[in-house]
Amino acid sequence: MFFEEWLNLDNDRKAVYFLGLSEKAFLRLIASPYSNFIRESLDICWDWLNQRKPSASDFYHYLDDDDNKNSLGLLSQFEHNNSLLPAWNCIITAVAFTLYIASEYHHEILPQPADCSDYDEVFNDFHNNFRSLFGEELMRDIEGKMLSLLEGGDAKVFDKKYVITSLGITQ
């Protein structure tokens, strides 16, 4: 339903879409023993959108880490509550997409987990996970609000606090 509107956004606003909605998903994981790491991974993405640093390779470890240290991909495997896996998946998609556009910006090649070149697949995976978390009606409401914010062209959409407040997300 929202794919065409999302597709018409520039890549930075596409990332804000994922990050803003992932802030709502994060609330489901606030009690996780890994919530600080999850929060940090989202914050680094917001920072990148605003400052264009660090380089993608400098924050790739949040998504996937070859040294088997903490990464969203690894930590999500320890989630015992299956109803929370869609929240993990939303956040993983948001971080992966931000890494994808950061790697393009910095002319870096990142490993496969950060490849978000198939926009249809990336959007649908995120959309389906978000729906699993919040149900059809709430999903439509929140996604509609998010797209309205982004289509307005206001630069404030790159401010995490502005997006959270505009979407009525309380942390």
Side-chain angles (χ1 to χ4, degrees):
M1 172 176 178
F2 295 114
F3 179 68
E4 291 301 321
E5 293 94 333
W6 177 82
L7 198 56
N8 289 327
L9 299 171
D10 63 49
N11 278 349
D12 286 357
R13 281 178 163 64
K14 285 179 175 88
V16 169
Y17 172 90
F18 288 142
L19 290 169
L21 296 177
S22 288
E23 293 292 341
K24 180 78 172 169
F26 173 70
L27 295 178
R28 296 288 175 98
L29 298 173
I30 202 83
S32 168
Y34 310 113
S35 64
N36 288 339
F37 184 83
I38 299 165
R39 172 79 270 147
E40 191 177 312
S41 69
L42 288 170
D43 287 346
I44 198 84
C45 292
W46 285 105
D47 289 346
W48 186 86
L49 281 171
N50 286 291
Q51 301 167 15
R52 295 297 192 242
K53 58 184 178 179
S55 69
S57 58
D58 288 339
F59 70 104
Y60 177 78
H61 68 277
Y62 286 99
L63 180 65
D64 189 35
D65 193 317
D66 293 334
D67 297 330
N68 288 325
K69 296 179 183 170
N70 285 350
S71 71
L72 293 170
L74 177 68
L75 296 175
S76 68
Q77 295 175 26
F78 298 127
E79 181 59 61
H80 298 294
N81 184 343
N82 286 341
S83 69
L84 295 178
L85 289 176
W88 281 97
N89 291 336
C90 285
I91 292 164
I92 288 168
T93 299
V95 172
F97 191 82
T98 306
L99 279 163
Y100 173 73
I101 64 171
S103 68
E104 286 186 332
Y105 179 84
H106 293 288
H107 306 289
E108 296 178 285
I109 298 173
L110 294 178
Q112 178 64 30
D115 182 11
C116 292
S117 59
D118 184 345
Y119 283 1
D120 188 46
E121 180 182 340
V122 171
F123 180 86
N124 284 326
D125 285 348
F126 185 92
H127 183 78
N128 291 336
N129 280 298
F130 199 76
R131 182 180 332 126
S132 291
L133 278 175
F134 299 107
E136 186 73 27
E137 187 175 329
L138 185 56
M139 180 231 19
R140 285 178 189 246
D141 180 55
I142 296 170
E143 285 190 71
K145 285 180 186 176
M146 187 76 232
L147 284 166
S148 292
L149 278 177
L150 295 170
E151 290 171 342
D154 192 338
K156 289 191 268 185
V157 298
F158 298 104
D159 178 352
K160 176 181 76 174
K161 289 180 184 174
Y162 173 78
V163 170
I164 288 170
T165 301
S166 297
L167 294 178
I169 299 171
T170 55
Q171 295 188 4

